[in-house]
Amino acid sequence: MANQKGGVAKTTTTHSLGAGLAELGERVLLVDLDPQACLTYSLGVDPDTIDASLHDVLAGRAEAADVVVKSGDLTALPSTIDLAGAEVHLMTRTGREHALARALKPLLGEYDTILIDCPPSLGVLTINGLTAAGEVIVPLQCETLGHRGVGQLLETIGDGRSFTNPDLTVRGLVVTMFDGRTRHSRELLADLDERYSVPVLGDPIPKSVRFAEAPGRGRSILTHAPRSAGAEAYRAIARILHQENR
Ligand code: ADP
Ligand code: MG
């Protein structure tokens, strides 16, 4: 999940699609690549209480398999604020873009899907995410400012393809926090796939206060408000991913 803009629901989308895929029986690993550790918190894991994190893995001090934590049906590679230092640490090493890909390699056989939650920047951590991934999903908010950076992101993905990951593809856009009551957002939605020539996955995720409540309880929207429109919208996208992957 990548978008250099903050607050477009990357973390929410990672957690919700992970929960949706787990409901379908997949073995899911969530990777928190953001030093702010919002995904780790939202899984009910307090970064202050864990012995080792993704930072130790990227710094070569620990194996990913020894750092993963369980949260219900999901497994996660947690983050802590130390990961902010990884930017600097990785910056000084050659092959730095491949650190995450290398770290995840031993785990590939153990999971059906690995979802990576990128930080809100196009720095070395996001590049590591794009290098490790087979596909990118771009969550975006359907208002002008929300998707102004998407063109730039797609360019970065293009660069990543030529330099570190020739096989990287864009799986699609997920329209988040959608308020279909305004004509403006309906119009923006209508020309999205044409504008970027990438598919829009499923239907827009509706804006709802239920989303703000879930992380504090260490749950995804799928368990916090299982029958809500937001949970169903994420389930529908998880079904699309699951079916296409089989
Ligand atoms: P990002 O990871 O891109 O920075 P987050 O997933 O942390 O974005 O979401 C930003 C905020 O928006 C969070 O407080 C989250 O609870 C809220 N949010 C996410 N999706 C929705 C939604 N569909 N409706 C309302 N609020 C949402
Ligand atoms: Mg986030």
Side-chain angles (χ1 to χ4, degrees):
M1 246 52 67
N3 187 332
Q4 72 276 31
K5 190 170 157 56
V8 296
K10 286 181 291 299
T11 300
T12 305
T13 300
T14 307
H15 194 179
S16 307
L17 291 180
L21 291 168
E23 278 187 358
L24 295 167
E26 291 200 19
R27 299 164 301 164
V28 179
L29 176 68
L30 304 181
V31 178
D32 191 353
L33 198 49
D34 187 346
Q36 291 182 51
C38 294
L39 177 64
T40 301
Y41 278 112
S42 80
L43 290 160
V45 176
D46 180 350
D48 291 338
T49 65
I50 54 179
D51 297 332
S53 73
L54 181 58
H55 177 239
D56 300 288
V57 176
L58 294 181
R61 286 192 296 266
E63 291 295 324
D66 298 330
V67 172
V68 295
V69 292
K70 282 267 176 199
S71 170
D73 292 341
L74 299 167
T75 308
L77 205 43
S79 171
T80 65
I81 190 66
D82 305 328
L83 192 59
E87 295 258 11
V88 179
H89 179 81
L90 289 170
M91 215 73 87
T92 60
R93 284 207 326 222
T94 51
R96 60 189 187 273
E97 302 88 353
H98 296 272
L100 181 63
R102 273 196 301 267
L104 293 178
K105 208 162 192 185
L107 295 180
L108 295 182
E110 308 204 9
Y111 298 96
D112 300 303
T113 300
I114 300 179
L115 298 176
I116 303 171
D117 184 25
C118 287
S121 76
L122 291 176
V124 71
L125 287 170
T126 293
I127 300 301
N128 263 270
L130 296 176
T131 304
E135 302 173 324
V136 200
I137 291 174
V138 180
L140 82 167
Q141 212 180 338
C142 207
E143 29 101 333
T144 333
L145 291 174
H147 69 93
R148 193 176 279 165
V150 171
Q152 192 193 352
L153 175 64
L154 295 175
E155 269 173 41
T156 303
I157 293 167
D159 292 348
R161 207 177 281 139
S162 23
F163 294 124
T164 65
N165 188 358
D167 299 328
L168 185 66
T169 58
V170 180
R171 186 64 172 266
L173 309 173
V174 173
V175 178
T176 61
M177 297 183 243
F178 187 68
D179 183 355
R181 288 173 305 181
T182 69
R183 203 179 86 198
H184 181 57
S185 49
R186 286 200 305 273
E187 283 170 0
L188 285 167
L189 181 66
D191 79 349
L192 257 189
D193 37 1
E194 239 174 78
R195 179 194 293 235
Y196 297 114
S197 338
V198 282
V200 176
L201 297 170
D203 290 327
I205 311 298
K207 190 177 256 180
S208 156
V209 291
R210 307 309 299 271
F211 279 94
E213 302 162 356
R217 292 171 170 77
R219 291 168 152 204
S220 76
I221 190 74
L222 276 71
T223 42
H224 175 62
R227 294 292 141 226
S228 62
E232 295 293 13
Y234 273 117
R235 266 192 202 102
I237 297 176
R239 271 196 301 274
I240 293 171
L241 298 176
H242 180 68
Q243 278 161 9
E244 289 178 3
N245 283 352
R246 274 147 53 116

